[in-house]
Amino acid sequence: MHKAVLEGLLFVVGEDGLTIEQLVDVLEINEEEAKCLLMELKKDYESDNRGLRIDFLGNKFKLTTKFEHKNYYQKLIENPETNFLSQAALETLAIIAYNEPITRVQIDEIRGVGTTSIIRKLVAKGFIKESGRSDLPGRPILYETTHEFLDYFCLSSIEDLPKIEDILKEFSDKDEDNNTDLYTSKYTEEES
């Protein structure tokens, strides 16, 4: 059971990865058991019929894709039929565009959900890029939009984005127009 939980944990943390210490703490096992568990799962992933593997990167264990499948991932990203932006990706992109440069944690706080995989996709599509490191503890990566982002949305510069105040005013005007009395029905009962 611990191996299945470990697999789920590695998936959930994404590119942040897991340290041995975190694994020991979460699974409530000792360090030797944690290392054995990781090696067992790592060996399972070495099979040719698996698309993922476990790597030790930046002092953390992470689920990654197999390098030998890289061409397929590239085709997926470049395929016009799959090259669309989901609602979550658009929200994340808007947060970055209006707040750049910004860290992933700051984006997560604004959206209220994790954005690790979305950020990875936006970087792969070329809409955002790493633009340095923040001075915050841990020196997290800062993200900003790219020229591809501007081209895709037909903007000459980031200043061409609609102003937040104008968007908020437009929404409040629509709310006033649609404001109806919830207690008064426009329907009446027919008399029999």
Side-chain angles (χ1 to χ4, degrees), residues 66-78:
K66 289 188 173 178
F67 182 77
E68 54 268 29
H69 301 158
K70 177 185 171 194
N71 293 338
Y72 298 103
Y73 308 136
Q74 194 65 36
K75 281 172 63 176
L76 178 67
I77 291 169
E78 293 171 355

Side-chain angles (χ1 to χ4, degrees), residues 147-189:
H147 293 294
E148 287 82 0
F149 163 81
L150 296 173
D151 292 347
Y152 186 85
F153 289 98
C154 300
L155 301 168
S156 58
S157 75
I158 204 74
E159 285 77 34
D160 291 341
L161 284 171
K163 303 291 178 241
I164 294 287
E165 300 79 27
D166 296 341
I167 295 169
L168 292 174
K169 184 177 178 347
E170 185 179 323
F171 278 114
S172 68
D173 290 347
K174 284 183 182 178
D175 282 347
E176 287 175 17
D177 293 343
N178 293 331
N179 197 2
T180 58
D181 186 355
L182 296 176
Y183 298 103
T184 307
S185 173
K186 63 181 177 180
Y187 301 104
T188 58
E189 290 184 28

Side-chain angles (χ1 to χ4, degrees), residues 73-140:
Y73 308 136
Q74 194 65 36
K75 281 172 63 176
L76 178 67
I77 291 169
E78 293 171 355
N79 184 343
E81 292 178 17
T82 59
N83 200 7
F84 63 91
L85 294 173
S86 66
Q87 184 65 34
L90 286 170
E91 289 171 9
T92 303
L93 203 48
I95 290 167
I96 294 167
Y98 280 100
N99 298 285
E100 63 184 28
I102 187 170
T103 67
R104 183 192 51 80
V105 172
Q106 291 169 323
I107 298 165
D108 292 353
E109 287 173 0
I110 293 170
R111 278 203 74 229
V113 295
T115 56
T116 302
S117 64
I118 295 170
I119 287 175
R120 196 176 312 132
K121 289 176 187 172
L122 291 172
V123 168
K125 289 178 185 276
F127 290 133
I128 63 172
K129 65 180 180 180
E130 294 181 11
S131 63
R133 296 274 181 173
S134 169
D135 291 333
L136 295 171
R139 304 217 2 104

Side-chain angles (χ1 to χ4, degrees), residues 1-2 11 26-27 36 39 49 64-65 75 88 90 93-94 105 108 119 121 123 141 143-144 150 168:
M1 177 179 119
H2 281 316
F11 177 79
V26 172
L27 294 179
C36 286
M39 291 307 115
N49 63 352
T64 62
T65 54
K75 281 172 63 176
L90 286 170
L93 203 48
V105 172
D108 292 353
I119 287 175
K121 289 176 187 172
V123 168
I141 296 169
Y143 293 97
E144 66 180 25
L150 296 173
L168 292 174

Side-chain angles (χ1 to χ4, degrees), residues 23-81:
L23 193 54
V24 165
D25 183 50
V26 172
L27 294 179
E28 298 177 347
I29 58 178
N30 65 45
E31 190 172 321
E32 192 57 39
E33 289 174 307
K35 288 178 181 177
C36 286
L37 197 57
L38 274 164
M39 291 307 115
E40 280 180 39
L41 189 57
K42 186 173 173 57
K43 187 174 180 179
D44 290 351
Y45 277 118
E46 288 173 1
S47 167
D48 286 340
N49 63 352
R50 303 298 294 263
L52 300 173
R53 69 178 180 214
I54 298 175
D55 283 324
F56 187 69
L57 304 166
N59 208 26
K60 294 185 178 187
F61 290 92
K62 302 177 183 188
L63 267 183
T64 62
T65 54
K66 289 188 173 178
F67 182 77
E68 54 268 29
H69 301 158
K70 177 185 171 194
N71 293 338
Y72 298 103
Y73 308 136
Q74 194 65 36
K75 281 172 63 176
L76 178 67
I77 291 169
E78 293 171 355
N79 184 343
E81 292 178 17

